[in-house]
Amino acid sequence: VKELEASILSIGVLSALTVQKSGKGYVVITGMHRWHALSNLAKAGSIGNDFAIPCVVVDSDFNTTEAGLAENTIRADMDPLDQCAAFK
């Protein structure tokens, strides 16, 4: 989460969180690591309460289990050669 916090501070949030209406608020469906990083940054005063968090709001028919699995199972480490090219 610390690396994600640094990334958010330097370039912002690049991928929207997926949220679903729940009572008077929303529940994060995908993007929980981003949410934790943003929460930590807000608590530390690194971002203000008015920081805009990009979100996609899905309805109650959305398959939350499938979405969570899809986001977490496709995650893979970057190939070392691609990582070197990106840093260069």
Side-chain angles (χ1 to χ4, degrees):
V1 172
K2 292 292 181 194
E3 290 171 344
L4 189 51
E5 291 172 19
S7 172
I8 289 170
L9 287 174
S10 73
I11 58 176
V13 180
L14 298 179
S15 298
L17 282 65
T18 304
V19 298
Q20 190 174 61
K21 186 84 170 141
S22 176
K24 294 181 180 182
Y26 292 88
V27 174
V28 176
I29 305 301
T30 64
M32 191 59 72
H33 287 103
R34 281 167 274 161
W35 174 250
H36 286 298
L38 288 161
S39 296
N40 290 346
L41 291 170
K43 288 176 189 170
S46 300
I47 59 174
N49 291 337
D50 59 345
F51 186 86
I53 302 171
C55 295
V56 174
V57 181
V58 296
D59 60 29
S60 60
D61 294 338
F62 187 77
N63 189 333
T64 58
T65 303
E66 186 176 320
L69 286 171
E71 180 170 270
N72 289 308
T73 57
I74 61 172
R75 186 175 293 142
D77 290 339
M78 190 180 232
D79 178 86
L81 292 175
D82 290 337
Q83 190 174 19
C84 286
F87 285 133
K88 187 176 181 182

